[in-house]
Amino acid sequence: QVELVESGGGLVQAGDSLRLSCAASGGTFSYSGMVWFRQTPGKEREFVAAISWSRGSTYYADSVKGRFTISRDNAKNTVYLQMNSLKPEDTAVYYCALKNVPLGSTWYSYGMDHWGKGTLVTVSS
């Protein structure tokens, strides 16, 4: 069974950096895509960043572009989200998700096949 496990969340101050990890296991992911989402209580889940396993094509939400970087280590089946210049608005539970077939220009916006349980990021002012 495919499992996704996030790690790296914590409590930091505005301006700090943090790196989140998402380790995938239980499957073959060579042609899959990975996506980071985030959610705060009472709000809709929002897209953060995405990457394809094979080519490394990346996609970012406007709110994090220039501050966050998504990357992958194919040998470790792990995707990272490097978060720099953190703001209080970045406070959320961050989730990673797996898309089996990342085809089309908006493959990261719908139809996730597996989800992790999330890791909490809290940014104080």
Side-chain angles (χ1 to χ4, degrees), residues 53-121:
W53 284 100
S54 59
R55 300 198 65 180
S57 300
T58 58
Y59 310 85
Y60 295 95
D62 290 341
S63 59
V64 306
K65 192 173 298 182
R67 298 188 298 120
F68 291 10
T69 302
I70 188 170
S71 62
R72 91 289 198 202
D73 186 332
N74 289 359
K76 297 181 178 179
N77 287 334
T78 299
V79 170
Y80 305 97
L81 185 67
Q82 179 66 46
M83 305 184 293
N84 297 328
S85 301
L86 282 164
K87 305 174 180 180
E89 306 93 274
D90 296 317
T91 295
V93 176
Y94 285 71
Y95 299 89
C96 66
L98 173 69
K99 178 90 168 185
N100 288 337
V101 185
L103 299 179
S105 60
T106 59
W107 61 265
Y108 52 84
S109 64
Y110 70 96
M112 300 298 109
D113 297 296
H114 301 280
W115 289 85
K117 296 186 181 298
T119 185
L120 176 63
V121 173

Side-chain angles (χ1 to χ4, degrees), residues 6-66:
E6 303 97 333
S7 62
L11 174 62
V12 298
Q13 294 185 343
D16 285 354
S17 296
L18 206 59
R19 189 180 75 163
L20 305 183
S21 299
C22 178
S25 63
T28 301
F29 311 106
S30 299
Y31 301 98
S32 300
M34 292 290 291
V35 188
W36 285 100
F37 296 92
R38 66 186 183 186
Q39 187 170 29
T40 57
K43 296 184 178 181
E44 293 285 333
R45 181 185 63 231
E46 66 174 329
F47 164 77
V48 177
I51 189 169
S52 65
W53 284 100
S54 59
R55 300 198 65 180
S57 300
T58 58
Y59 310 85
Y60 295 95
D62 290 341
S63 59
V64 306
K65 192 173 298 182

